[in-house]
Amino acid sequence: MSNTVLVTGGAGYIGSHAVLALLQNGKNVVVLDNLSNSLRAALDHVENICGKRPVFVEGDIRDSALLDQVFSEHAIEAVFHFAGLKAVGESVREPEKYYDNNVAGTLTLLKTMNQHGVFNFVFSSSATVYGCPSEMPISEETKVERPTNPYGRTKLIIEDMLRDFSDADERWNIALLRYFNPIGAHESGLLGEHPQGIPNNLLPYISQVAIGTLKELKVFGNDHPTPDGTGIRDYIHVVDLVEGHLKALDFICEHKGLHTWNLGTGTGYSVIEIIDSFEQVTGQNIPYSFTERRAGDVAESWSNPAKAKVEMNWVASRTLEDMIRDTWRWQSNYPAGYASTPTPTH
Ligand code: NAD
Ligand code: WQD
């Protein structure tokens, strides 16, 4: 094995944490990212933490000539595939963009991998494939339902595509990792989430309220069928999440075929519990008011992560307090994310 991993979307939130973990585990890393939702500075921060830097290729996963070049120049052993668009609301307004970027992009990548004889693939899927979940907690056996938006449907289509590839050719070794709600930041306070514009997700929104960039949080609905009426989610620390990727890579290299795992903690928290906990951990006040439910939101979503524990010996070990403390350290250090740092010169 060559020991080199291609990380698509490696300048992004989860991808940059994965790049760091791979480098710290002795892998060589090539990042391919078109910087549509990230800044190259994230990779400078990776280098500041671990003293190593990935090879960076600025480009698009839909560019098959570029992919061909990347696979020709580097002896790639496996691909971590994070590149994709992820804004649910935008996917409703501009579905074509999502099918093109996520589905067509992934197909181009898989075709190039096949041509170059690379068959180890770790895919960023999502709990969104469970649609309106038929049971709680959600296990991998829980029926996959039609996702509630085009973004989610691109994830399900890609999962189906990967299953078909795996059925047709036994050389493919594939991990479908269904993330619950990744939050948090690296404990150094040097890597974190860098949302562009007004954040869609709860934790980035709350941290921007805490730092004073946004005035108050709108809580989407207090009439959900949950104990306090607000939505319940399974928040998972981004560093636990990327540790799951490393375990998945080891697993698929030893156990052929396609494997599906939920990556979550197994515990759900409501929006109100998150606000309370954020206030407690950071000492900041989070003004909020209730508003209408957000279209497409499910009342609750939390995982049964037992399969990942039994098969890969992976568990999420970081607490909600860890997630919030690390989010806040990053947000306080870099109020404008990577835009707070000088423009990188390399
Ligand atoms: P992100 O936007 O921070 O990272 C995605 C990266 O991919 C960005 O750096 C972006 O510039 C790059 N990119 C997008 N389209 C590209 C293309 N065509 N070619 C090359 N690069 C491209 O998002 P993230 O939160 O790090 O998410 C990573 C992956 O995990 C995505 O596939 C996302 O759908 C999935 N996911 C995320 C969450 C979450 O809540 N963050 C949950 C479930 C699944
Ligand atoms: C969490 C809770 C909201 C913002 C989304 C995507 C999903 C996945 C992760 C990738 C919910 C409430 C939020 C706000 C609020 N991405 N909320 N006010 O909706 O579970 O998942 O991101 O696959 O596909 O749908 O996460 O962080 O947006 O919301 O009250 O301003 O916080 O209603 O209950 P969600 P989220």
Side-chain angles (χ1 to χ4, degrees):
M1 283 259 177
S2 73
N3 213 32
T4 300
V5 177
L6 172 66
V7 181
T8 72
Y13 170 44
I14 304 168
S16 57
H17 287 82
V19 169
L20 173 64
L22 286 164
L23 290 170
Q24 286 176 326
N25 276 271
K27 299 280 185 190
N28 303 316
V29 178
V30 178
V31 169
L32 174 67
D33 198 305
N34 65 5
L35 303 180
S36 59
N37 197 36
S38 53
L39 293 176
R40 195 191 290 226
L43 302 177
D44 297 339
H45 287 222
V46 166
E47 187 177 12
N48 289 342
I49 297 169
C50 72
K52 294 187 214 163
R53 201 180 168 80
V55 172
F56 176 65
V57 179
E58 183 172 345
D60 199 293
I61 52 165
R62 291 163 295 182
D63 181 345
S64 60
L66 177 66
L67 282 176
D68 190 45
Q69 192 187 330
V70 169
F71 280 89
S72 302
E73 286 177 2
H74 303 276
I76 290 164
E77 160 205 0
V79 177
F80 280 13
H81 181 37
F82 297 99
L85 300 176
K86 61 165 185 176
V88 169
E90 184 186 61
S91 80
V92 174
R93 293 188 301 275
E94 299 179 67
E96 183 186 320
K97 197 169 154 184
Y98 278 69
Y99 287 104
D100 187 44
N101 201 90
N102 295 3
V103 179
T106 303
L107 181 57
T108 306
L109 175 61
L110 293 170
K111 277 158 67 174
T112 312
M113 287 178 66
N114 195 347
Q115 281 156 12
H116 288 265
V118 180
F119 293 100
N120 298 321
F121 192 70
V122 178
F123 175 57
S124 302
S125 189
S126 167
T128 189
V129 300
Y130 295 110
C132 283
S134 54
E135 59 183 357
M136 212 52 65
I138 300 170
S139 80
E140 295 81 355
E141 299 293 305
T142 301
K143 197 166 171 288
V144 160
E145 304 271 358
R146 187 170 192 264
T148 56
N149 55 72
Y151 161 73
R153 291 193 275 277
T154 67
K155 291 292 177 192
L156 192 52
I157 290 168
I158 295 167
E159 281 203 0
D160 282 341
M161 188 160 81
L162 288 167
R163 230 169 262 115
D164 290 339
F165 276 47
S166 170
D167 288 346
D169 185 339
E170 63 180 18
R171 288 174 299 172
W172 283 103
N173 306 314
I174 296 174
L176 304 181
L177 302 183
R178 294 176 176 163
Y179 309 165
F180 279 70
N181 288 62
I183 61 168
H186 189 258
E187 62 178 10
S188 62
L190 286 169
L191 276 189
E193 191 164 6
H194 174 86
Q196 295 188 358
I198 297 175
N200 297 309
N201 298 119
L202 183 63
L203 259 292
Y205 202 106
I206 291 182
S207 355
Q208 292 199 12
V209 170
I211 206 86
T213 313
L214 296 168
K215 230 174 93 216
E216 71 160 16
L217 173 73
K218 298 277 183 211
V219 176
F220 299 140
N222 59 354
D223 57 351
H224 285 289
T226 59
D228 65 19
T230 65
I232 293 179
R233 296 291 183 274
D234 182 342
Y235 297 94
I236 174 171
H237 197 297
V238 64
V239 175
D240 279 327
L241 188 82
V242 302
E243 286 172 2
H245 290 63
L246 267 60
K247 295 249 176 176
L249 177 59
D250 287 345
F251 190 96
I252 61 171
C253 289
E254 281 164 23
H255 307 78
K256 301 288 172 193
L258 179 140
H259 305 270
T260 305
W261 292 289
N262 284 343
L263 295 185
T265 65
T267 304
Y269 292 99
S270 74
V271 177
I272 294 297
E273 286 174 318
I274 295 291
I275 297 170
D276 288 348
S277 185
F278 196 98
E279 292 189 330
Q280 227 167 48
V281 173
T282 67
Q284 303 295 310
N285 178 39
I286 306 297
Y288 68 89
S289 63
F290 293 109
T291 180
E292 299 285 286
R293 288 187 194 182
R294 185 172 61 181
D297 266 358
V298 297
E300 51 179 344
S301 166
W302 45 285
S303 69
N304 172 350
K307 185 169 183 273
K309 181 170 186 207
V310 171
E311 293 182 351
M312 303 197 281
N313 192 26
W314 173 87
V315 281
S317 60
R318 291 163 181 85
T319 63
L320 180 62
E321 192 182 328
D322 296 331
M323 300 181 216
I324 292 175
R325 194 196 51 236
D326 292 341
T327 299
W328 183 238
R329 188 182 294 116
W330 156 253
Q331 184 72 65
S332 327
N333 284 352
Y334 296 97
Y338 297 108
S340 313
T341 60
T343 311
T345 50
H346 48 277

